[in-house]
Amino acid sequence: MALPKISVPIFTTELPSTGAKVKYRPFTVAEEKILLIAREANDADQIIIAVKQVLNNCVVDDLDVEKLPTFDIEWLLVHIRAASIDNNVEFQIRDPDTEEIITLEMRIEDIKLHRNPEHTNKIKADDTYTILMRYPTIDESIKLIQVLAEYSRLQSAIKATDPDSSERKKAEIEFNSFNKKRVQIEFDITIGCMDKLVGDDQIFDFSDSTPKEVNAFVDSLDARAVERIKTFFETMPILRHEIKYKNKKGDEKTFVIQGLNSFFQ
């Protein structure tokens, strides 16, 4: 006789980016294994694969996970986890000053989406046209994080060498070479997030234009429009939670939970 299937409850939440309602179920043992393997691998690519697989498994509705902005994915992960395990989580951190191990507790439902009141995806290009931005996908966001991490590492490598040494020259060559790649990657992702151009009764889809045409349009933007695009990325919604604690010196400290990395620690 075949074993019976265990029924699971279905929950509903709203995507922060659009307000669309999405149905989901809790983790099963299968998803817990996927997340555990990704956590132990400690590799960004493995984490992305695990996140997509878990969401595709647990989201009941037809949803294209590949196109979701990162904060939508984080929102879904938090809600699925809250529905799957005890809402109260206990974990340990190491205080950066005293090196002591601190045990902290939090409620998963306390992790909230923070919205900057100045944030907008409507970028004024000039008096006639407005650029409508889309949010970076999880692949694009992780790529940016990796690029910035490598940029910081190479900067530190330069500072760690003697100014007149051959190691310094080698480090500077490596940094300059990577910096060109960094600028291009950031530029490509920025352009890729430009969705539509709206003006009067006209709507242009950037995906219908050639790369040459899009690049020419971007080159025509003034400094104010470029700054607005930069602000769009800097003020995007983010899931964040702060936990206050005291170390053994009695110092008041704050531990911040933010982003997918916190989820997989």
Side-chain angles (χ1 to χ4, degrees), residues 206-220:
F206 281 103
S207 63
D208 293 334
S209 302
T210 66
K212 184 177 180 180
E213 291 170 337
V214 175
N215 287 338
F217 172 80
V218 172
D219 286 342
S220 71

Side-chain angles (χ1 to χ4, degrees), residues 12 42 147:
T12 302
N42 195 29
V147 165

Side-chain angles (χ1 to χ4, degrees), residues 154 158 171-181:
L154 293 174
I158 291 175
E172 287 177 343
I173 291 173
E174 185 178 5
F175 173 81
N176 291 333
S177 175
F178 177 80
N179 195 40
K180 293 178 182 178
K181 296 178 183 178

Side-chain angles (χ1 to χ4, degrees), residues 5 20 51-52 59-60 83 87 110-111 134 136 155 189 194 202 207 215 219 228 240 263:
K5 291 186 178 180
V51 166
K52 292 178 180 178
V59 173
V60 178
N87 187 47
D110 288 338
I111 303 177
R134 69 164 178 82
Q155 275 188 323
I189 291 177
M194 293 167 55
Q202 296 176 304
S207 63
N215 287 338
D219 286 342
R228 293 186 191 109
R240 178 185 173 93
F263 187 88

Side-chain angles (χ1 to χ4, degrees), residues 31-93:
E31 285 82 46
E32 290 285 2
K33 287 181 179 178
I34 293 170
L35 293 175
L36 180 61
I37 292 171
R39 186 182 295 115
E40 292 179 347
N42 195 29
D43 177 78
D45 292 333
Q46 290 300 316
I47 287 175
I48 292 176
I49 293 172
V51 166
K52 292 178 180 178
Q53 189 173 352
V54 166
L55 290 185
N56 281 323
N57 289 356
C58 294
V59 173
V60 178
D61 295 320
D62 185 16
L63 185 67
D64 191 347
V65 174
E66 299 283 346
K67 294 182 179 179
L68 288 179
T70 303
F71 59 87
D72 273 354
I73 286 178
E74 293 170 351
W75 179 264
L76 286 172
L77 280 175
V78 166
H79 280 72
I80 293 172
R81 182 167 179 172
S84 306
I85 60 177
D86 189 349
N87 187 47
N88 297 307
V89 177
E90 183 178 288
F91 59 99
Q92 293 182 326
I93 64 168

